[in-house]
Amino acid sequence: MQADVIVIGAGIVGAACAHALAQAGQQVLVLDAGVGGATGAGMGHLVVMDDNPAELALSRHSLALWRSLVPRMADDCAFSPCGTLWVAADDAEMVAAEEKQQRLGQHGIDCRLLSANQLATAEPALRPGLAGALEVTGDGIVYAPNAARWLLGDGGSNIHIEAAEVVAIEAGHVRLADGTQRRAPQILLANGIHATALCPELPIRPKKGHLLITDRYPGTVHHQLVELGYITSAHHAEGPSVAFNLQPRPTGQLLIGSSRQFDTTDMAVEAPMVAQMLQRALRYIPALGDLNAIRSWTGLRAATPDSLPLLGRHPWREGLWLAVGHEGLGVTTATGTAQLLAELMTGAAPAFDPTPYAAERFTATATA
Amino acid sequence: MKKTETVALRINGQTLSVRAGTSVAAALRIAGSADMGTARRSVLGQARAPFCGMGICHECRVDIDGRRRLACQTRCEDGMVVETSA
């Protein structure tokens, strides 16, 4: 096959990009080392995030694209339109919920404030005494490994997949571990946390996370629950931190997060971190203490200094494009990322402003 | 001859006497000779029974006195109520 584009990485971002490029008529060769990354480790929460306008633009467009895919998606992608409840523990967080509602409302995102009583009715498992919540109805969940596989398959004959480890990227071709080369005029790097092995100049740091999943307890929780304190505890901390984040799986299992640790690539489950994470969760749902956990695992988020991904042309490597650094939001933003990259790489007009995601913003601090 | 101490428990409504010290996993096997001691059903409806016997595989989770626990890591007690989802 004569490929127009080589995509490195078959996680959710690489798969979505390959899919969008295939839809645009490109012949795509996807190279995947099979080492796994955030796609297989994360929650698969499809969530509009609004820490800054660029994050909101990317996640909002991405959610709309996900919803357009859902009717065709395979059952095993396990999409569920469960929505998100941003839980406010006190009056200060309720103010944050109101501000969030205004911000999201301005961008046409369906959401509504729940009083303390309405929250107790919506999620009886939550402890009494919480202030309320913001419900974002268009959010959902997906099982990302299967969604990635489905996207690659849906690309039809325009997508060719090869199990191969890329060891070097050069102009117009990549070198594989077996010494052979694969050629294409355009190369797209979409291998998340492993990107710096090929491009050490990229400002990506690992942010380790833990997750734990319970046995099946259907009907315990109905929405993805995230504490509003998440915004402060998770995104603006340099040290280890935890934030309450709980997802009801379609099987009835509860997926419990979240934790963040910088600059470790040790994949071991650390009991003290899991304990801290569960203590936090118990503060919201005391009954969790009676449930049976069956597994816990870790993953590494690919984090950039400003928490926005690197999307678009590589600042100086000829023919190389970037779709990396999505931190903990890659499943959500895979579709918007893919749309933007496919438009930029085929010379079409981008659906939204790509400037905030350009890698050039770090060029001053990250020259090779 | 020394009399062996036994405990009586209920598994899915059926009373069973076992030797003291017997694990619930073993009791499931004793009670369920026809179904190989099935503990639960998978999401796809397949039968699951105790496999590793040492608390790692989580295949033997059953309701014991109203809480989901590992049958292989729990000793039978007098009056215990065990419910499988099989």
Side-chain angles (χ1 to χ4, degrees), chain A residues 12 39 42-47 63 66 69-70 73-82 139-148 150-151 224 247-250 255 330-335:
Chain A
I12 195 71
T39 300
M43 274 189 154
H45 185 199
L46 304 175
V47 54
L63 255 300
W66 273 115
L69 289 171
V70 163
M73 235 157 49
D75 283 350
D76 71 359
C77 298
F79 172 81
S80 161
C82 61
D139 286 358
I141 60 174
V142 74
Y143 184 58
N146 287 353
W150 177 81
L151 284 162
Q224 176 113 10
Q247 176 182 107
R249 298 293 309 149
L255 183 51
V331 180
T332 294
T333 55
T335 48

Side-chain angles (χ1 to χ4, degrees), chain A residues 248-270:
Chain A
R249 298 293 309 149
T251 57
Q253 292 171 280
L254 300 175
L255 183 51
I256 304 168
S258 61
S259 79
R260 278 177 157 72
Q261 293 162 271
F262 278 101
D263 296 329
T264 172
T265 51
D266 174 12
M267 300 302 285
V269 172
E270 297 167 64

Side-chain angles (χ1 to χ4, degrees), chain A residues 215-217 289 292-293, chain B residues 40-41 43 58 61 67-68:
Chain A
D215 199 348
R216 302 199 297 270
Y217 299 95
N292 179 44
Chain B
R40 59 183 198 93
R41 297 262 160 194
V43 169
H58 287 258
R61 46 198 204 261
R67 282 179 70 170
R68 199 81 46 83

Side-chain angles (χ1 to χ4, degrees), chain A residues 306-320:
Chain A
D306 62 5
S307 290
L308 287 173
L310 306 171
L311 311 180
R313 273 188 198 281
H314 187 284
W316 45 264
R317 289 182 190 248
E318 194 61 36
L320 181 64

Side-chain angles (χ1 to χ4, degrees), chain B residues 22-33:
Chain B
T22 303
S23 73
V24 174
L28 287 175
R29 184 76 179 83
I30 294 163
S33 53

Side-chain angles (χ1 to χ4, degrees), chain B residues 16-85:
Chain B
L16 182 76
S17 274
V18 296
R19 192 180 299 186
T22 303
S23 73
V24 174
L28 287 175
R29 184 76 179 83
I30 294 163
S33 53
D35 67 5
M36 298 293 289
T38 298
R40 59 183 198 93
R41 297 262 160 194
S42 75
V43 169
L44 300 177
Q46 296 173 313
R48 293 285 185 263
F51 176 69
C52 78
M54 58 185 187
I56 302 298
C57 76
H58 287 258
E59 292 295 6
C60 68
R61 46 198 204 261
V62 293
D63 280 335
I64 300 175
D65 293 340
R67 282 179 70 170
R68 199 81 46 83
R69 291 165 66 184
L70 299 183
C72 76
Q73 298 299 294
T74 311
R75 283 209 173 92
C76 295
E77 286 170 20
D78 243 345
M80 192 177 255
V81 176
V82 177
E83 297 283 341
T84 72
S85 60

